[in-house]
Amino acid sequence: MADADLVELAKRRGFFFGSNGAYGGTAGFYTFGPQGAALKRNVEDAWRDRFTLQEGNREIEAPTVMPEAVFEASGHLDTFDDMLVECAECGSSHRADHLVEAVTDIEDAEALPGEEVEELIADNDIACPTCGAELAGLDVEDFNLMFATDIGPGDGQPGYLRPETAQGIFVEFPRLKEYARGNLPFGITQIGPAYRNEISPRGGLLRLREFTQAELEQFIDPEADEPPLDRVRDVDVRLYPATEQQAEDGDYLDTTIGEAVEEGVIGSPWVGYYLGVAQEWYERIGVDTNRFRFRQHLAGERAHYAADCWDAESEVDGDWIEIAGFAYRGDYDLSKHDAYGDDSFTVFKRYDEPKTVERATVDPDMSVLGPEFGGDAAAVAEALETLAGRDPDAFEGDTVTVEVDGSGGDDAREVAVDAEVANFSVETVTENGEHITPHVVEPSFGVGRTVQTLLAHAYETDEVDGEERTYLSLAPEVAPRDAAVFPLVTNDDRLVALADRVAADLRAAGLAVAHDDSGSIGRRYRRQDEVGTPFCVTVDRDGIEGDGPETVTVRERDSAAQIRVPVDDLAEELAGLRAGGSFDDLLDRYETVETDVETE
Amino acid sequence: MADADLVELAKRRGFFFGSNGAYGGTAGFYTFGPQGAALKRNVEDAWRDRFTLQEGNREIEAPTVMPEAVFEASGHLDTFDDMLVECAECGSSHRADHLVEAVTDIEDAEALPGEEVEELIADNDIACPTCGAELAGLDVEDFNLMFATDIGPGDGQPGYLRPETAQGIFVEFPRLKEYARGNLPFGITQIGPAYRNEISPRGGLLRLREFTQAELEQFIDPEADEPPLDRVRDVDVRLYPATEQQAEDGDYLDTTIGEAVEEGVIGSPWVGYYLGVAQEWYERIGVDTNRFRFRQHLAGERAHYAADCWDAESEVDGDWIEIAGFAYRGDYDLSKHDAYGDDSFTVFKRYDEPKTVERATVDPDMSVLGPEFGGDAAAVAEALETLAGRDPDAFEGDTVTVEVDGSGGDDAREVAVDAEVANFSVETVTENGEHITPHVVEPSFGVGRTVQTLLAHAYETDEVDGEERTYLSLAPEVAPRDAAVFPLVTNDDRLVALADRVAADLRAAGLAVAHDDSGSIGRRYRRQDEVGTPFCVTVDRDGIEGDGPETVTVRERDSAAQIRVPVDDLAEELAGLRAGGSFDDLLDRYETVETDVETE
């Protein structure tokens, strides 16, 4: 399938389209139409079911606007930049690293210093893609990708639209750990908008300025907690390890999660566990496993805090796109907020048995230190205390030497203190536990990219009754609608009334139902095929005439096979199919209908 | 219940709390914890079921960041302001109108001109609420409540966080009408964040800077479309009409939707229809109807485009708060975007029969007008065309007089044209229909305020087994968790294993399940009572010993009554209860358990 076909179908049938078309469009922003919003929501619900409910995790919902202090701590304020070059002629903005990559062999120009990129632009005579003017000699600037705003008037504070939902979780860790009653491991999830003010947004649902993330932050004690790896040990996965990517004849590694973790291909068992859960989940919602892989980040690609990182990638229109990331983030996030914030981002880890430990301490005689060091006396006492913890042996001689910053901005200097004045001693104390900073394992999913993958992998064409058709073979669990209901003809009030009643009954049973009475049945089937509706229910005369119970025909989308089902059983059967039941079972249990009804 | 108790419980039990506490907090932003996010999502799902699925409407999802042009058209850029006064001493910001209302009898100071508010501040010696400094003499400014940002770098454009989800619907009307195949009426819904940069945010979930709206835009042909009023004709409602609010002994009007519409108390049948739907929905999700009313806007309160507007109001902690608005917005929104945007915001309304109409037209002889009027000739021809449409009789004399703006900025002047030169004629044309601008009926719900109402109305205290307890009597459909599962004791591996299996089975059946094995059963019950979990499942020895099938006890939250249910029936019974089933039915069908198990 060509990408253009899918984009056209997405727009025509209400999956997604560029926003604000009446005002010339706004690059990087897409609106999900009725079909797309339903598909996206079903993907989110399926994710919630698997990654929150089934795992016993907790989901929160934090604001999208956050104050600057959060991003000072997280590092986004300083480092969440792309390389920007603005054309002096036409004023258009471009990713400088992408321009360089397009005309050189360099694969990761973002890793180069700005000056080097400026030189490469000059050396390669790179021109503005918009107007063709020379870009040589222009500055390459760091452009921060966060959308900035002001919270409150006048005395307000700078704020930013969050670049990832994760920060809304990390920043509330002091409270979230209370809800877990201080026990590790626990997982917090969030599904919601995130924002990146991209310099050059791409088309479709790739690289949007506003997008939806589904993130899980798994907080663990790295020394004690292990994932329930048995649950996914036998899950088959296609891995693309860093070593294979760098090898000349590198290839995929088709293996199981259990083997990959045992052999160290996947470094962290927690990352391995979530790769397995994700593999099963992607299969469940309809990703084509032949167009799917887990690719390990190369060393240079990883954020500096990420010990091991894998991306889930899907093939869409010939390109591999990242649709999720699985990172072992260590204690980076919580340590930063612990250092910058006013609250504690640690948990108290109780020992199995209380430990008796020796602790060196001092109790300096201030009546001596005061007269001797004046304004520096307190600093000297503190330095002694620090030294006692670090090097108790230092107190064995007659005098102890410590370094203090002088008061009033004087330079640091060494001072000698009489050992007796320090009052050094070693106490025996009983400790019940210690404060530890949990580590974080983060599966992070792009919802829009998942939606785009599902559409691309579900897009099919075939021939039915001699006519070519396009259909989306979406899994019933995620299809925008569960069923469509048609009266075969609209000039028979009995059919119209029954179709209305059937649609209302299905809706009351919680199913998302379309009702369509416009055009031939064949056209109505095609319309539903194009939006991936798995089952079409047609109310015809055969179903209401005769002595038996009222019946309707149910047509399965992919096979175009039809069966006749009593109206009273319909809601339950469709609910069963939505929950993963097989249409083949119904083919066995109900009368099959010849498909020439289509041409009526 | 005092508000403080609920706020404390909300924070302690994970419903909601002020965001970014580790960074001093950020006024106007709240985070929903695990319980609150689940409750909020259940409210959204229930709203979606009623206002989207059951109504056959379509839901979309538009970006939260929108370009400036949208808000020029909508009027938000010019008029979405509050009155701001900034203290010269301490720099704190205040709503000037609120300060005036607090010390005078004025009820709607926002309607006064800024100068008058400045005078009232001076005349009443109003001081800064923060530092006590005099505010007299300071400017009262219009502060726009939209959060502003920049989309893209350098050559980017100004953007704003949407102040209502509605604009994301209106602006895409040209495409949305295609999905409805041009047929009115149709409804579009959206649930998502909206933003108002409040000058002085209030506490709790009232007046937040970021909040969630659930909005329905019902597009109708005002001359042809009628709502299905029969469906809600007999719904009982408590109305507080504008006349009663203004009368000295004004009282509520307890009536039905049918009567209120027939007697004209509710001006628009469409508004009446949605008040009826909303009344039933609020009852379904657990709003206390004795603490609920529909209040009509007073004439001065209505937006200028709203013909009739009602608020749903709930009583929370002694105050009536607006939790939804129902406005007949006429063609205001679509007309504005039609005028400002580059696309058509009308629909083509086909006549039942083609109409033959006479249309007056002119075909001016430019070879005469050209020499005579030079640069103004085209303007003269256009004026003749306009005149023909407006007043065909004007062409009956020998000459026709029209007014034209002079070219080159000259003043408008009258010119006389020979009637023959105008070539006036009346043509007979057949028209199949006309372009009309749909009217909009908008039910708009505040999701956070609904959540706050449900918590306030569900908050109960009583005595169980001689102990006082606090519980939330939330409806099973919206309660954060469907059930909690406990092993009675943790030192019996059989109980622990069965509890794990029961929890996993319930989760696999799509239920949200808590698992708790910490502390006495009584304490675990209390914990679940406080978060409104409707059913607690306890795995005890009686249930696994003996010959019969495995059983567990199920305790209903409000009555604390307990029954013994086979494990194999549990998922289905709990799903039935969640869908609205009655626990009394189960009391009839299953063995009752004495409640002294609580004290074990």
Side-chain angles (χ1 to χ4, degrees), chain A residues 11 20 22-23 32 40-41 48 54 61 64 148-150 152 172 179 181 195 197 210 337 342 507, chain B residues 11 20 22-23 32 40-41 48 54 61 64 148-150 152 172 179 195 197 210 337 342 507 518:
Chain A
K11 192 167 171 175
N20 311 307
Y23 293 97
F32 288 93
K40 174 172 182 283
R41 200 167 53 245
R48 172 175 297 122
Q54 305 296 338
E61 186 180 319
T64 59
T149 190
D150 289 305
E172 305 301 353
Y179 301 146
R181 278 179 259 142
Y195 304 81
N197 202 1
E210 178 172 347
H337 285 299
D342 291 332
R507 283 173 185 156
Chain B
K11 192 167 171 175
N20 310 308
Y23 293 97
F32 288 93
K40 173 172 182 285
R41 200 167 54 247
R48 173 176 297 121
Q54 305 296 337
E61 187 179 318
T64 58
T149 191
D150 288 306
E172 304 301 352
Y179 301 146
Y195 304 81
N197 201 2
E210 177 171 348
H337 285 298
D342 290 331
R507 282 174 185 155
S518 164

Side-chain angles (χ1 to χ4, degrees), chain A residues 1 77 123 175 179 188 191 218 221 294 332 351 388 412 450 473 475 494 501 518 562 591:
Chain A
M1 165 221 50
L77 199 60
D123 294 348
R175 203 166 302 288
Y179 301 146
I188 304 288
I191 303 175
Q218 175 76 55
D221 175 349
F294 290 113
Y332 176 81
Y351 299 138
T450 306
S473 65
R494 296 172 307 164
R501 180 155 62 81
S518 164
Q562 290 184 44
E591 177 195 347

Side-chain angles (χ1 to χ4, degrees), chain B residues 445-589:
Chain B
F445 290 67
V447 176
R449 289 175 170 208
T450 305
V451 167
Q452 188 162 31
T453 298
L454 292 184
L455 289 174
H457 290 193
Y459 189 96
E460 308 273 359
T461 53
D462 66 358
E463 209 172 270
V464 170
D465 295 337
E467 278 182 41
E468 200 182 313
R469 69 160 181 166
T470 298
Y471 68 102
L472 297 178
S473 63
L474 293 168
E477 184 181 3
V478 297
R481 291 159 176 173
D482 297 311
V485 177
F486 315 138
L488 181 64
V489 292
T490 53
N491 58 5
D492 184 331
D493 288 348
R494 297 172 306 163
L495 301 190
V496 171
L498 181 56
D500 285 348
R501 178 154 62 81
V502 166
D505 287 352
L506 296 180
R507 282 174 185 155
L511 296 171
V513 175
H515 183 280
D516 189 355
D517 58 11
S518 164
S520 72
I521 278 289
R523 272 187 67 181
R524 287 183 258 171
Y525 283 150
R526 296 292 177 282
R527 235 179 253 141
Q528 297 301 325
D529 287 342
E530 279 203 335
V531 297
T533 307
F535 305 104
C536 286
V537 175
T538 301
V539 178
D540 61 3
R541 288 200 189 95
D542 288 351
I544 59 170
E545 285 166 357
D547 296 333
E550 290 170 329
T551 61
V552 291
T553 68
V554 176
R555 171 188 180 269
E556 197 272 336
R557 177 195 58 211
D558 297 2
S559 63
Q562 291 185 45
I563 53 175
R564 185 167 289 282
V565 177
V567 167
D568 289 346
D569 298 347
L570 189 63
E572 194 181 336
E573 295 290 5
L574 288 179
L577 290 168
R578 189 190 197 284
S582 154
F583 190 75
D584 286 347
D585 290 347
L586 276 72
L587 279 174
D588 291 342
R589 287 190 282 118

Side-chain angles (χ1 to χ4, degrees), chain B residues 5-15 459 470 472 530:
Chain B
D5 290 342
L6 182 59
V7 167
E8 189 275 332
L9 183 141
K11 192 167 171 175
R12 179 165 47 85
R13 287 298 181 205
F15 283 96
Y459 189 96
T470 298
L472 297 178
E530 279 203 335

Side-chain angles (χ1 to χ4, degrees), chain A residues 16-304:
Chain A
F16 56 83
F17 49 84
S19 302
N20 311 307
Y23 293 97
T26 313
F29 294 91
Y30 269 71
T31 295
F32 288 93
Q35 307 296 339
L39 172 58
K40 174 172 182 283
R41 200 167 53 245
N42 291 342
V43 168
E44 291 169 1
D45 283 347
W47 191 91
R48 172 175 297 122
D49 176 66
R50 187 63 194 87
F51 289 87
T52 307
L53 296 185
Q54 305 296 338
E55 294 288 311
N57 289 328
R58 297 173 172 86
E59 180 173 351
I60 70 161
E61 186 180 319
T64 59
V65 175
M66 300 183 81
E68 188 165 72
V70 171
F71 301 111
E72 278 172 357
S74 72
H76 285 94
L77 199 60
D78 276 346
T79 61
F80 194 59
D81 301 320
D82 272 350
M83 288 185 177
L84 167 69
V85 60
E86 273 187 276
C87 175
E89 285 296 318
C90 73
S92 64
S93 300
H94 306 284
R95 282 277 298 261
D97 50 331
H98 287 184
L99 297 180
V100 166
E101 287 165 11
V103 300
T104 66
D105 290 336
I106 298 167
E107 282 184 7
D108 189 21
E110 200 175 2
L112 302 175
E115 301 77 42
E116 203 165 318
V117 173
E118 288 171 4
E119 279 168 31
L120 284 161
I121 288 175
D123 294 348
N124 290 282
D125 299 323
I126 296 179
C128 171
T130 306
C131 74
E134 285 287 323
L135 295 177
L138 295 173
D139 287 342
V140 168
E141 287 169 39
D142 283 337
F143 175 70
N144 192 287
L145 297 181
M146 289 196 292
F147 283 95
T149 190
D150 289 305
I151 301 171
D155 58 348
Q157 53 177 327
Y160 298 88
L161 296 181
R162 61 183 181 195
E164 56 181 15
T165 62
Q167 292 305 323
I169 295 174
F170 294 140
V171 77
E172 305 301 353
F173 182 81
R175 203 166 302 288
L176 296 171
K177 74 180 178 190
E178 289 176 19
Y179 301 146
R181 278 179 259 142
N183 295 321
L184 294 174
F186 67 91
I188 304 288
T189 65
Q190 187 171 199
I191 303 175
Y195 304 81
R196 298 187 189 186
N197 202 1
E198 297 285 352
I199 293 172
S200 329
R202 275 204 270 173
L205 299 183
L206 290 173
R207 197 174 302 147
L208 291 177
R209 285 172 166 155
E210 178 172 347
F211 51 99
T212 300
Q213 287 185 318
E215 295 195 307
L216 162 59
E217 308 304 326
Q218 175 76 55
F219 298 102
I220 61 168
D221 175 349
E223 294 186 358
D225 294 334
E226 285 179 13
L229 203 61
D230 279 343
R231 294 188 203 159
V232 296
R233 195 172 291 281
D234 299 327
V235 172
D236 290 314
V237 284
R238 168 162 288 182
L239 302 182
Y240 195 21
T243 47
E244 294 296 318
Q245 296 168 53
Q246 289 166 319
E248 275 209 22
D249 55 351
D251 202 356
Y252 293 146
L253 175 64
D254 290 318
T255 182
T256 62
I257 290 292
E259 277 178 31
V261 170
E262 266 156 45
E263 288 169 17
V265 179
I266 301 170
S268 151
W270 280 98
V271 170
Y273 173 68
Y274 281 117
L275 294 186
V277 172
Q279 174 79 30
E280 289 189 324
W281 182 75
Y282 281 122
E283 290 181 35
R284 161 178 157 182
I285 62 168
V287 168
D288 182 348
T289 52
N290 293 315
R291 300 164 71 183
F292 178 81
R293 68 185 184 192
F294 290 113
R295 190 181 68 77
Q296 189 175 32
H297 278 207
L298 300 173
E301 226 177 328
R302 285 201 300 269
H304 59 279

